Amino acid sequence: MTPTPRPAATQRSNDTRHNRAGLARHYTAVRERSRALAAPLSPEDCQAQSMPDASPVKWHLAHVTWFFETFVLERFEPGFKPFDPAFRVLFNSYYQGVGDRFSRPQRGLLTRPDLATVWQWREQVDARIARLIEHTHSEEALRLIDLGLHHEQQHQELLLTDVKHLLSINPLRPAYRRHWPLVPVVAVDPRWIEQAGGLVEVGHAGEGFAFDNELPRHRQWLEPYSLMNRLVTNGEWWAFVQDGGYTDPRWWLAAGWDWVCAQNLRAPMYWTLPTETGAMPSVFTLHGEVGLDPHTPVAHISHFEADAFAHWASATHREWAGARLPTEAEWEAAAAPLVVQGNLQESHALHPLPARAAGEGLMQVYGDVWEWTSSSYAAYPGYRPAEGAVGEYNGKFMVNQYVLRGGSCATPTSHLRASYRNFFPTDARWQFSGLRLAR
Amino acid sequence: MTPTPRPAATQRSNDTRHNRAGLARHYTAVRERSRALAAPLSPEDCQAQSMPDASPVKWHLAHVTWFFETFVLERFEPGFKPFDPAFRVLFNSYYQGVGDRFSRPQRGLLTRPDLATVWQWREQVDARIARLIEHTHSEEALRLIDLGLHHEQQHQELLLTDVKHLLSINPLRPAYRRHWPLVPVVAVDPRWIEQAGGLVEVGHAGEGFAFDNELPRHRQWLEPYSLMNRLVTNGEWWAFVQDGGYTDPRWWLAAGWDWVCAQNLRAPMYWTLPTETGAMPSVFTLHGEVGLDPHTPVAHISHFEADAFAHWASATHREWAGARLPTEAEWEAAAAPLVVQGNLQESHALHPLPARAAGEGLMQVYGDVWEWTSSSYAAYPGYRPAEGAVGEYNGKFMVNQYVLRGGSCATPTSHLRASYRNFFPTDARWQFSGLRLAR
Amino acid sequence: MTPTPRPAATQRSNDTRHNRAGLARHYTAVRERSRALAAPLSPEDCQAQSMPDASPVKWHLAHVTWFFETFVLERFEPGFKPFDPAFRVLFNSYYQGVGDRFSRPQRGLLTRPDLATVWQWREQVDARIARLIEHTHSEEALRLIDLGLHHEQQHQELLLTDVKHLLSINPLRPAYRRHWPLVPVVAVDPRWIEQAGGLVEVGHAGEGFAFDNELPRHRQWLEPYSLMNRLVTNGEWWAFVQDGGYTDPRWWLAAGWDWVCAQNLRAPMYWTLPTETGAMPSVFTLHGEVGLDPHTPVAHISHFEADAFAHWASATHREWAGARLPTEAEWEAAAAPLVVQGNLQESHALHPLPARAAGEGLMQVYGDVWEWTSSSYAAYPGYRPAEGAVGEYNGKFMVNQYVLRGGSCATPTSHLRASYRNFFPTDARWQFSGLRLAR
Amino acid sequence: MTPTPRPAATQRSNDTRHNRAGLARHYTAVRERSRALAAPLSPEDCQAQSMPDASPVKWHLAHVTWFFETFVLERFEPGFKPFDPAFRVLFNSYYQGVGDRFSRPQRGLLTRPDLATVWQWREQVDARIARLIEHTHSEEALRLIDLGLHHEQQHQELLLTDVKHLLSINPLRPAYRRHWPLVPVVAVDPRWIEQAGGLVEVGHAGEGFAFDNELPRHRQWLEPYSLMNRLVTNGEWWAFVQDGGYTDPRWWLAAGWDWVCAQNLRAPMYWTLPTETGAMPSVFTLHGEVGLDPHTPVAHISHFEADAFAHWASATHREWAGARLPTEAEWEAAAAPLVVQGNLQESHALHPLPARAAGEGLMQVYGDVWEWTSSSYAAYPGYRPAEGAVGEYNGKFMVNQYVLRGGSCATPTSHLRASYRNFFPTDARWQFSGLRLAR
């Protein structure tokens, strides 16, 4: 679970994918992974949209295919002819440069095409992309295919979190997959790990793939700081709940307090609080409803909740005095030397797992839950969005969102980097989002 | 198309259904009809809910089965055991007396049970109801089965109007069934048919089935009045649109004007106005998108629109001076002598049809479109709701809704009567709703 | 308090007002009454608007003056010149025929003109109307002045109910006027008074003033019915509250139940429920906060609440079996023979008062509280709105509202008639609205 | 207009105010200034609240007095007795530590106490504070009085912007004060001024007054950058409007585009676009409606609009390539050497004024309009909120807001510093907010 320093020799080289055979293999693997994630679901499960922020599984499967057809095949395939011209509008997410798009909150109403047709579309596009990889003379086409695969990996994570939200609404409490991954562990005590700070460099370095928002690499000045060795746990969060954390405005930002009151919240998403004193909450997971495990990292909290917890922790526990969220630069500076490994999508746990007492350093840096930072999502100095419609990928969301780092149990390993920036509004909590304290 | 006076000897006797064999046959026929209506639809089509007022097809199919299991089998079947105890909550529509129910606007999110399971449920319940019809000693059980069939017929109409709404949102403009029923006709001129009025009796008479809201039969005083021989047509409505009908507050009730402005409406639901002058609108139907036929009755208008049209017609056409909506008593007094026949669900047109010049009397009284009346939906003097939870069927909706009469192209013939009262809020227009002028 | 049969000889003849001197006296009296009602209020009190349904006192004072300037002086005054041309838009309420109007929910933001200017406007218009009454040759002008006075009387009642709402929001719980009118009384037991029904005539008769919505007088058939001798009291309502009336869906219309749940209501408007068991509620009045008097008629209930109370009363009290709201025809047929007298605005109580045991017949028919009926507000058969913009006065509100009868403690006596129809939506309760049971 | 380098010797020493006589004089001056700002307004003007974000003038006058009574007198005055105990709740803005508060959007409904009473309260508190300044032994009391004066100065600016919003809603377009300050000027061409960047220090230094959010002073690394010599003008903005800036999604952040579409915006707040081509917009000011002056800095733009303008400018003007909003550190590093002078509240212009060609350096740094930065409002490293309820002053708003710098024509000069941080949500535009480009 504990990432260890990464020798330069083992560094995964993304650019080998621009080697055609490697890219073709990676393409097949990522696309197959999407199919595997959808396998446990019925056509009905793939149709429904449980909230405007979420999308139907069928829409995810179609949209990532739309990306390849619209941004790659349309420009680079000789004699391009779309599978169905209407899909260009139906499955555009938000790219204004592409033209019209279908209303986002109504995606669950697109019962045509049906799921079977979407699978046919995917197969046809896969064959055409395979031919393109083999024959194209365009480096840009290959780069855009690589971008499309990272795009599809993002949607794999969303597919899982969206379907979790959908299933949670059903009073039958159905499981996505019953395979409960938890085993008994020895609790790991929280401990501060000191970091030197100073003039550090952040942002993507090297030749591998990176999104435009990770560039350019640049300098930042950091005062010395500490990070907690592991993530905040359910048990620690339950103490916060029992101490009246959700009903005491002292711990909350003003906007957070308004949000908690308006939504009448008392716990993280997916928790069901016990009706009897002394009992523990239960929690909805992709494996169905289970009892809350105190050593597991807390998940499905908003930025508001993460910030409130830090204020509470700082004020009520002497050993946590000064606790706060880390900045994204603090997180990245500490994570940069570590190998990307942990409880990621490939572990098939589909749930965060407790830290295990296996070392002195930072644990759970990659995987388990995305870690909220105090950094608002903004352009790095000198940032330039990509050319064309794909330039709308990242830059236009750089306001009123906050950065999360480190990936989760739903993130594919090959998708992550130390410089990877995820971002969500301060009230979002249907992602696998948690926190690590800093001070 | 023209209803003709109904000789007493041919009066359909609903009570023969209480004859067990007849009831069993009727049960089979109604249930089979629901299956036939769902046949053209995929599991995805049956899953989605396009607005809070509408329900998914799968939910309709399950809810009408829930009615039989909850109100009949649970009380009268020896050794009753539900197909799945959770369905009691999942598929309760609004019966507080039954207990909890699932949130109405989220019905489209119930991806479990899937459609196949709902069909299994239906088959199991059908077998159990067949046994009950054969063996029960309870007259009430038989009466409740008959009520359940009328209930299912109501949902058949809703199934069609709800799926029409769902398909209309899809930019692919898919058809429910391609079988366009229109043939050229000779236009029927509008003509006033005088009615005597006086002290009339309204409400259900005789022994056949009726809902509690049609009772008791009682006296009302009517001044002499006239009804138009046929329904208002698309052509007449198009003249209203072209005359600025939707932008002139003179014609509208204050609440109607607020509604038109807030929704920015310019035409009935499902119309697409032409972008070129001189062109005609197109209209979405269960058979896909077609050109507007001027002789076909206008459909999918709200009470507000019907009322505005009558004000406009009265003020702008000498021969329509004094035009208004009829009261429900005026409608019923005129319709009572006529046989229930017309363009109803059994014609398979699934769309209103033009009047044909075949007589002197009232045409299109039954079928084609529900006719808005000026009567708010209220209890008849001496009204008593049915006992138990089924007493919630009608009475508790008797406020802020207006009565429609006469059935539509989606209404089963055996479901209608002269005394039948349909009702919707003044802004509802996804039903096959139109109007006949009175004065 | 008990209205007694009205001898024909004492009938107030409204048409004497068309006698110029009488009209001039009446004009002065009504206008002076508005001034007196505003006297206890500061410029700040007259400025604020506490909800979109209410208007600022200053706006009321200006709007009724606008009515005289726009509908009378503009048409009939030689050499007409408005006090300020901008006021034509600022103080138009809803008359589309007059042109633009200022946004209703923002009336409280019109700090200019200030209150002093509005008073100047009123004085100037009063002088000009006085001259017009003396010199005009137009009967229509005199009739419109009479209409304007009835219009102003309606706004006097609204002024009182709107300022009550405004003051109730202030935690200081300020009084409009401290002059508590209640004296100890002997409780009057509820008793049913039978009414014959049959073919009755309703609507305005005779030559006096009436609004267009009271016409034409027409026949209705009524089955025999009974009315309660007095209004429902606070004590009876408190029993309903204590019996869980606001938390039991059985008593409520579906729309009413949705409303109660959405608003989280537990009692009539202006009640503060006690926090200790055994204690009584307190209630906010125009005289400040007072303890709830059990013999006083309940006030500030919506149509939904009135209907729910009737269902509860019918089901839980044998002597109230069959209780329901009266229809407006039932109310009018019973009230027609009675003189208009009671606890009206002229009593200066500004609060409903308990019935006093002074007779066998119907008590509290006029005054105290408006009585909700089960009748939706609709046009009488043959109804014709007035010509011109004043035709928008009544007819365009004839949908989704319900009729109240009998006036309240805020209604001027000369404003009322047996045929008078007040109307509000089913959730309105800031008026002095109560109920009398029928069966 | 052009700030010039500030010799250390002339630095205003805030701490001389802790010299009692100085503080007493400053107290009198600030309080008197509030009175002067309210002088042109009627009791009605002071009562109304035009939107939830704004407050009535009366409320501002009361709330700043509440601050002194609650945070100073209640703790430090011997034998403290409040003017009216109810005011503690009525005029609390958001301090949870103080207890209850009155609902913010309803402040305009507090017609009691009236304006005269609030003035009496102010006078009484002024006398008590004067005694306290003379006699107290508490340094903290003096510091809190100083804080209260800065607090009052903030509310003076809000008073002006709130009353501007209120008056703008009135179709009479009333002026706050008619004294139009504009004189003809020679246009100043835009020019980039280069800044060195590097490891700079930001945050308050020295002994004078500062808010807690300006502390601690800390290091930041800045890449080299340039700032525009003057603010963006109305003329430049009008070019943006005419080029379709508000209807082209390319220029907008996704959230900004949603906001523009939802609000259907086409220009800055208070602009009225011309209906004829070739004509210029008019604009509402505190002096009434005037024609748009092209050389005046644009005002009343949101962060979304500022950001969109920068994108447009960068893409369409070669000399503006790379234009963006400055960070707050970039702004502060450039402003730090300059004296605080410019078109501030003391100029009595109450409107931004054109730059005048008077030097080579940065113009309009202080005053005219607040300058939006790209920096989200966040805690400085090592930030500690003040102790007690005044600790709620700043820290709890540090999310989802963006920083503005430099003050406006409504800001008192003695209130400003280079390190001063103003902050508003990205859609706020009723402040005097504009922008200066960076790259």
Side-chain angles (χ1 to χ4, degrees), chain B residues 314-328:
Chain B
S314 173
T316 58
H317 291 63
R318 184 177 308 170
E319 65 279 16
W320 286 344
R324 56 171 174 81
L325 304 192
T327 66
E328 62 168 326

mmCIF file of all heavy atoms in Angstrom, chain B residues 314-328:
data_model
loop_
_atom_site.group_PDB
_atom_site.id
_atom_site.type_symbol
_atom_site.label_atom_id
_atom_site.label_comp_id
_atom_site.label_asym_id
_atom_site.label_seq_id
_atom_site.Cartn_x
_atom_site.Cartn_y
_atom_site.Cartn_z
ATOM 1 N N SER B 314 -64.683 33.730 -30.245
ATOM 2 C CA SER B 314 -65.888 34.509 -29.962
ATOM 3 C C SER B 314 -65.735 35.957 -30.419
ATOM 4 O O SER B 314 -66.678 36.571 -30.924
ATOM 5 C CB SER B 314 -66.180 34.455 -28.458
ATOM 6 O OG SER B 314 -67.232 35.326 -28.130
ATOM 7 N N ALA B 315 -64.550 36.506 -30.257
ATOM 8 C CA ALA B 315 -64.357 37.934 -30.538
ATOM 9 C C ALA B 315 -64.060 38.211 -32.002
ATOM 10 O O ALA B 315 -64.235 39.336 -32.472
ATOM 11 C CB ALA B 315 -63.210 38.479 -29.666
ATOM 12 N N THR B 316 -63.602 37.201 -32.733
ATOM 13 C CA THR B 316 -63.109 37.470 -34.089
ATOM 14 C C THR B 316 -63.969 36.861 -35.194
ATOM 15 O O THR B 316 -63.797 37.205 -36.354
ATOM 16 C CB THR B 316 -61.665 36.939 -34.253
ATOM 17 O OG1 THR B 316 -61.666 35.539 -33.966
ATOM 18 C CG2 THR B 316 -60.703 37.666 -33.332
ATOM 19 N N HIS B 317 -64.863 35.940 -34.874
ATOM 20 C CA HIS B 317 -65.686 35.291 -35.891
ATOM 21 C C HIS B 317 -67.161 35.481 -35.519
ATOM 22 O O HIS B 317 -67.587 34.977 -34.478
ATOM 23 C CB HIS B 317 -65.384 33.792 -35.969
ATOM 24 C CG HIS B 317 -64.033 33.481 -36.522
ATOM 25 N ND1 HIS B 317 -62.856 33.863 -35.914
ATOM 26 C CD2 HIS B 317 -63.665 32.831 -37.661
ATOM 27 C CE1 HIS B 317 -61.827 33.443 -36.627
ATOM 28 N NE2 HIS B 317 -62.282 32.818 -37.693
ATOM 29 N N ARG B 318 -67.879 36.167 -36.381
ATOM 30 C CA ARG B 318 -69.279 36.447 -36.057
ATOM 31 C C ARG B 318 -70.051 35.165 -35.757
ATOM 32 O O ARG B 318 -70.853 35.105 -34.824
ATOM 33 C CB ARG B 318 -69.941 37.224 -37.185
ATOM 34 C CG ARG B 318 -71.383 37.622 -36.848
ATOM 35 C CD ARG B 318 -72.013 38.445 -37.931
ATOM 36 N NE ARG B 318 -71.151 39.589 -38.281
ATOM 37 C CZ ARG B 318 -71.368 40.367 -39.333
ATOM 38 N NH1 ARG B 318 -72.424 40.148 -40.125
ATOM 39 N NH2 ARG B 318 -70.562 41.373 -39.600
ATOM 40 N N GLU B 319 -69.784 34.116 -36.562
ATOM 41 C CA GLU B 319 -70.574 32.890 -36.383
ATOM 42 C C GLU B 319 -70.186 32.146 -35.100
ATOM 43 O O GLU B 319 -70.873 31.209 -34.698
ATOM 44 C CB GLU B 319 -70.410 31.963 -37.593
ATOM 45 C CG GLU B 319 -69.015 31.410 -37.819
ATOM 46 C CD GLU B 319 -68.071 32.377 -38.532
ATOM 47 O OE1 GLU B 319 -68.385 33.595 -38.587
ATOM 48 O OE2 GLU B 319 -67.017 31.932 -39.020
ATOM 49 N N TRP B 320 -69.086 32.554 -34.473
ATOM 50 C CA TRP B 320 -68.676 31.936 -33.220
ATOM 51 C C TRP B 320 -68.915 32.862 -32.021
ATOM 52 O O TRP B 320 -68.433 32.585 -30.915
ATOM 53 C CB TRP B 320 -67.194 31.543 -33.284
ATOM 54 C CG TRP B 320 -66.926 30.337 -34.136
ATOM 55 C CD1 TRP B 320 -67.841 29.414 -34.577
ATOM 56 C CD2 TRP B 320 -65.661 29.899 -34.652
ATOM 57 N NE1 TRP B 320 -67.230 28.455 -35.337
ATOM 58 C CE2 TRP B 320 -65.883 28.716 -35.404
ATOM 59 C CE3 TRP B 320 -64.351 30.389 -34.566
ATOM 60 C CZ2 TRP B 320 -64.860 28.021 -36.047
ATOM 61 C CZ3 TRP B 320 -63.340 29.695 -35.198
ATOM 62 C CH2 TRP B 320 -63.584 28.521 -35.943
ATOM 63 N N ALA B 321 -69.644 33.934 -32.225
ATOM 64 C CA ALA B 321 -69.881 34.880 -31.127
ATOM 65 C C ALA B 321 -70.468 34.137 -29.926
ATOM 66 O O ALA B 321 -71.399 33.346 -30.070
ATOM 67 C CB ALA B 321 -70.826 35.985 -31.590
ATOM 68 N N GLY B 322 -69.932 34.421 -28.759
ATOM 69 C CA GLY B 322 -70.415 33.752 -27.553
ATOM 70 C C GLY B 322 -69.762 32.409 -27.298
ATOM 71 O O GLY B 322 -70.106 31.728 -26.317
ATOM 72 N N ALA B 323 -68.806 32.023 -28.125
ATOM 73 C CA ALA B 323 -68.166 30.718 -27.951
ATOM 74 C C ALA B 323 -67.451 30.633 -26.609
ATOM 75 O O ALA B 323 -66.858 31.612 -26.145
ATOM 76 C CB ALA B 323 -67.180 30.458 -29.092
ATOM 77 N N ARG B 324 -67.513 29.467 -26.014
ATOM 78 C CA ARG B 324 -66.883 29.202 -24.715
ATOM 79 C C ARG B 324 -66.710 27.696 -24.583
ATOM 80 O O ARG B 324 -67.170 26.937 -25.455
ATOM 81 C CB ARG B 324 -67.748 29.736 -23.578
ATOM 82 C CG ARG B 324 -69.170 29.156 -23.618
ATOM 83 C CD ARG B 324 -69.977 29.497 -22.396
ATOM 84 N NE ARG B 324 -71.364 29.041 -22.541
ATOM 85 C CZ ARG B 324 -71.778 27.792 -22.330
ATOM 86 N NH1 ARG B 324 -70.903 26.856 -21.991
ATOM 87 N NH2 ARG B 324 -73.055 27.443 -22.483
ATOM 88 N N LEU B 325 -66.068 27.238 -23.522
ATOM 89 C CA LEU B 325 -66.030 25.804 -23.251
ATOM 90 C C LEU B 325 -67.370 25.357 -22.692
ATOM 91 O O LEU B 325 -68.017 26.103 -21.952
ATOM 92 C CB LEU B 325 -64.927 25.483 -22.226
ATOM 93 C CG LEU B 325 -63.498 25.921 -22.542
ATOM 94 C CD1 LEU B 325 -62.535 25.250 -21.557
ATOM 95 C CD2 LEU B 325 -63.116 25.584 -23.961
ATOM 96 N N PRO B 326 -67.801 24.142 -22.997
ATOM 97 C CA PRO B 326 -69.018 23.622 -22.353
ATOM 98 C C PRO B 326 -68.753 23.269 -20.895
ATOM 99 O O PRO B 326 -67.610 23.020 -20.501
ATOM 100 C CB PRO B 326 -69.316 22.358 -23.159
ATOM 101 C CG PRO B 326 -67.989 21.927 -23.708
ATOM 102 C CD PRO B 326 -67.193 23.175 -23.926
ATOM 103 N N THR B 327 -69.805 23.234 -20.089
ATOM 104 C CA THR B 327 -69.676 22.633 -18.759
ATOM 105 C C THR B 327 -69.765 21.118 -18.912
ATOM 106 O O THR B 327 -70.244 20.608 -19.933
ATOM 107 C CB THR B 327 -70.796 23.099 -17.808
ATOM 108 O OG1 THR B 327 -72.040 22.580 -18.296
ATOM 109 C CG2 THR B 327 -70.870 24.618 -17.755
ATOM 110 N N GLU B 328 -69.324 20.410 -17.876
ATOM 111 C CA GLU B 328 -69.378 18.959 -18.036
ATOM 112 C C GLU B 328 -70.819 18.454 -18.056
ATOM 113 O O GLU B 328 -71.125 17.460 -18.726
ATOM 114 C CB GLU B 328 -68.538 18.230 -16.980
ATOM 115 C CG GLU B 328 -68.956 18.434 -15.535
ATOM 116 C CD GLU B 328 -68.239 17.439 -14.588
ATOM 117 O OE1 GLU B 328 -67.969 16.299 -14.979
ATOM 118 O OE2 GLU B 328 -67.978 17.823 -13.442
#
